[in-house]
Amino acid sequence: MTRRALVLGAGGFLGSHLCRHLLESGWSVTGLVRDRTSPHVTARLRDCLGHLELVEGGAGDEAVLDQLVVGRDAVFPFAGRSGAARSMTAPLLDLAANGGSQLAVLESLRRYAPEARTVFPGSRLQYGRVLHVPVTEDEPVAPVSLYGVHKALGESYHLLYARVYGLLTCSLRISNPYGPGQDRPDHAFGVVGTFLSTAARGEAISLYGGGYQLRDYVYVRDLCTLFELAVTRPEAVGEAFNAGGPRPTRLRDMAQAVVDTVGAGSLRDVAWPFEAEVIETGDYVSDLRKVTDVLGWQPTTDLEQGLAETWSDLALAGRP
């Protein structure tokens, strides 16, 4: 029997890749978007529009969700707002997108589809500033941005509904996802996409404080494999897992790899702007032992390969 999935935020970075992955894996997929005529939506979903049921609506609208969740094997609530800095300038919007909309999904599932599986797309920023790396899931949660606070809130909703109502949900604390199609209508990218776009224009990549902080970067297609495991493996229910990349890399070294990949651009050390410094988390590397032991997942795409594929997509689309 064909499994049925609902992807909220299907036109977003993670949602569009997940739709493609699930279709390739034989799922029947319905995607919820706010505007299916948006150029970004059609560009990201261009190769699967003929196989995907696309529905317009709000990801936090219970009347919409109540109808869409019925009969689903899995629901992926991936609509939201990204960016720690953006959250500090629009806190209520961030709360609604990353907290309130998750509660709306869980309520619809509780009432109309308690047998469906779901997974919360959390963030490494839930941890805040850590004392040591790699970071295990037992590390205290102490976010330093409203984005991190609201991601921690969303995860708390999911794990509470698993404990109290028996909903089949879990959480993934995702570290620095990147890949093709990461740009947004406001021309904002994730850090990898931002660096690629800057280098493509022949400009210098600004590195605050030298860019020596450790990070792990996880390629979006590796993440999609984990998203599917999270809603098909019974061991995932009620758990939180780190979801990171294959190896720690200094931000500066990632930037240099971007310059090498593009064949243009340079690096420039700059002082920390106040608004960035107050939400900076320092070194972060995911300890992946739990997700490997429980779900059998490991990232397989190294940074050089992932950068090459991401740059190829950006260059072909003419977006830099």
Side-chain angles (χ1 to χ4, degrees), residues 62-140:
E62 288 188 66
V64 173
L65 295 172
D66 287 350
Q67 296 183 45
L68 290 178
V69 300
V70 175
R72 306 293 173 180
D73 296 290
V75 175
F76 297 89
F78 285 10
R81 283 174 63 88
S82 61
R86 284 211 313 166
S87 73
M88 305 301 285
T89 59
L92 295 179
L93 287 176
D94 198 86
L95 173 61
N98 295 324
S101 65
Q102 294 297 325
L103 190 56
V105 172
L106 291 166
E107 274 294 284
S108 291
L109 288 169
R110 179 182 67 83
R111 292 192 302 260
Y112 297 106
E115 72 289 344
R117 294 285 298 270
T118 188
V119 54
F120 175 66
S123 170
R124 70 169 181 89
L125 295 177
Q126 294 170 221
Y127 291 112
R129 299 185 181 99
V130 298
L131 298 176
H132 52 79
V133 294
V135 178
T136 71
E137 290 84 353
D138 294 329
E139 183 77 17

Side-chain angles (χ1 to χ4, degrees), residues 88-258:
M88 305 301 285
T89 59
L92 295 179
L93 287 176
D94 198 86
L95 173 61
N98 295 324
S101 65
Q102 294 297 325
L103 190 56
V105 172
L106 291 166
E107 274 294 284
S108 291
L109 288 169
R110 179 182 67 83
R111 292 192 302 260
Y112 297 106
E115 72 289 344
R117 294 285 298 270
T118 188
V119 54
F120 175 66
S123 170
R124 70 169 181 89
L125 295 177
Q126 294 170 221
Y127 291 112
R129 299 185 181 99
V130 298
L131 298 176
H132 52 79
V133 294
V135 178
T136 71
E137 290 84 353
D138 294 329
E139 183 77 17
V141 171
V144 296
S145 68
L146 287 168
Y147 177 81
V149 169
H150 297 153
K151 281 293 187 178
L153 175 63
E155 177 182 286
S156 295
Y157 286 150
H158 276 257
L159 299 186
L160 177 70
Y161 272 63
R163 290 192 303 270
V164 175
Y165 299 115
L167 287 193
L168 306 176
T169 187
C170 65
S171 177
L172 302 176
R173 297 171 180 174
I174 303 169
S175 175
N176 294 294
Y178 74 101
Q182 200 169 8
D183 57 318
R184 300 197 304 258
D186 58 4
H187 305 293
F189 299 75
V191 64
V192 173
T194 296
F195 284 7
L196 283 167
S197 181
T198 302
R201 296 192 300 269
E203 299 173 0
I205 296 171
S206 296
L207 298 171
Y208 301 150
Y212 294 105
Q213 56 268 56
L214 278 174
R215 295 284 191 269
D216 57 88
Y217 302 92
V218 57
Y219 194 54
V220 66
R221 292 187 186 129
D222 287 339
L223 272 179
C224 286
T225 300
L226 179 55
F227 294 152
E228 186 175 13
L229 287 171
V231 298
T232 54
R233 293 288 297 271
E235 301 92 334
V237 174
E239 298 290 340
F241 301 95
N242 288 337
R247 72 172 192 270
T249 304
R250 297 283 180 195
L251 183 67
R252 188 180 195 88
D253 294 334
M254 185 273 283
Q256 184 60 55
V258 164

Side-chain angles (χ1 to χ4, degrees), residues 2-23:
T2 301
R3 293 174 295 186
R4 301 182 65 210
L6 171 64
V7 179
L8 310 180
F13 172 55
L14 293 181
S16 59
H17 279 280
L18 178 60
C19 286
R20 187 172 297 106
H21 171 87
L22 293 174
L23 287 168

